[in-house]
Amino acid sequence: MDSVRVEALTRVYGDGPRAVTALAGIDAAFGRGTFTAVMGPSGSGKSTLLQTAAGLDRPTSGRVFVGDTELSRLSETRLTELRRDRIGFVFQAFNLIGALTVAENIELPLRLSRVKPDQAWIAHVVARVGLGERLHHRPAELSGGQQQRVAIARALATRPDVMFCDEPTGALDTTTAAEVLALLRAVVDEHGQTVVMVTHDPVAASYADRVVVLADGRIVRDLPQPGAARIGELLASLDRRAVAVGG
Ligand code: ADP
Ligand code: MG
């Protein structure tokens, strides 16, 4: 069973001669309990793929399925509910609410959906991300790595079908990034969580089970566990090609 599947997905921004094709026809499926890294040059459509697959943005054409639910058939209200209840999103810039404590940030999605928090699960998530001592602190009192761990706990609170992470370690130092990546790996291995993560970093991508590489809004490589060295070579060759065609 796939957690997420996209079919012939396109996204064109604007129209007329200034239209930009961010996604030029993507077919991909992300199986339950898998960890996929999405890579590719800047502007290749990575964030657009995540945003459309997560129902944060509507595709121009094509279809997105989360489990059995096809998103284009949903009203705005239903789409908002699906995003809140079945999708977790982790951003590079953490996007925590500064006025709320760690505990309040983590429980916010559940409060918004008026679902009674599963306290045993929340306690488990808090322990797993190592924030037990920080529950009543505010985000500004935490390090970047701690803030990202709060964002991951918040994304896990609803036990989503899939967690999308857009450059989750992009603002972190190497050591802290490694902790966050190990945490993502653990939620996949221990809870069968599905994770789709955009990253520029071959080392970060090597934590995943699979690496999908985009160029110009298309999938140009789809590799099982290529390893950091191979990923580095691949990205370098794509960059050389982009330079060669003047893009
Ligand atoms: P990546 O995340 O791989 O760097 P993006 O998905 O952000 O790439 O962008 C893909 C292409 O779509 C780029 O050419 C970008 O400039 C364009 N794009 C992204 N978002 C918008 C937007 N809101 N309006 C217009 N163009 C956009
Ligand atoms: Mg991006």
Side-chain angles (χ1 to χ4, degrees):
M1 177 65 181
D2 295 323
S3 291
V4 181
R5 185 157 53 88
V6 302
E7 289 180 359
L9 197 64
T10 76
R11 179 67 167 100
V12 180
Y13 289 109
D15 49 27
R18 305 187 59 170
V20 174
T21 301
L23 298 177
I26 302 263
D27 292 285
F30 304 101
R32 206 167 285 288
T34 61
F35 186 178
T36 304
V38 177
M39 306 193 79
S42 181
S44 58
K46 304 180 297 296
S47 292
T48 305
L49 174 60
L50 257 57
Q51 305 258 343
T52 49
L56 288 164
D57 184 21
R58 296 259 191 194
T60 303
S61 64
R63 301 198 294 176
V64 176
F65 295 86
V66 174
D68 291 333
T69 310
E70 203 240 297
L71 302 199
S72 74
R73 296 175 181 278
L74 303 181
S75 65
E76 282 305 320
T77 306
R78 290 267 176 264
L79 188 60
T80 301
E81 288 169 358
L82 176 135
R83 262 197 322 259
R84 191 186 61 204
D85 300 340
R86 295 177 56 191
I87 290 177
F89 214 106
V90 174
F91 301 89
Q92 179 173 348
F94 321 134
N95 294 20
L96 300 174
I97 299 188
L100 300 182
T101 65
V102 166
E104 289 164 346
N105 267 284
I106 293 171
E107 291 193 5
L108 186 63
L110 295 167
R111 296 208 182 281
L112 292 174
S113 66
R114 297 197 187 82
V115 172
K116 199 158 163 283
D118 175 346
Q119 289 301 346
W121 172 249
I122 296 288
H124 175 76
V125 165
V126 164
R128 189 67 196 77
V129 301
L131 290 164
E133 321 276 88
R134 296 281 185 278
L135 279 180
H136 303 294
H137 288 65
R138 294 189 200 276
E141 300 168 312
L142 305 180
S143 70
Q146 288 170 334
Q147 290 187 56
Q148 196 59 306
R149 287 189 273 137
V150 176
I152 291 169
R154 177 180 60 182
L156 287 170
T158 59
R159 302 192 190 215
D161 287 33
V162 58
M163 197 156 109
F164 292 107
C165 309
D166 196 348
E167 304 198 37
T169 59
L172 304 177
D173 64 72
T174 312
T175 310
T176 311
E179 286 167 17
V180 165
L181 291 161
L183 174 61
L184 292 174
R185 184 69 250 175
V187 300
V188 174
D189 292 340
E190 294 168 17
H191 302 296
Q193 180 63 52
T194 308
V195 174
V196 182
M197 170 183 77
V198 168
T199 181
H200 278 114
D201 175 7
V203 174
S206 70
Y207 283 77
D209 306 312
R210 169 189 178 198
V211 177
V212 170
V213 183
L214 301 189
D216 300 328
R218 295 178 202 278
I219 294 178
V220 295
R221 294 284 194 292
D222 189 342
L223 306 166
Q225 298 192 310
R230 175 89 207 284
I231 297 166
E233 286 165 20
L234 183 60
L235 295 180
S237 76
L238 285 173
D239 279 344
R240 276 197 298 278
R241 206 180 64 181
V243 169
V245 298

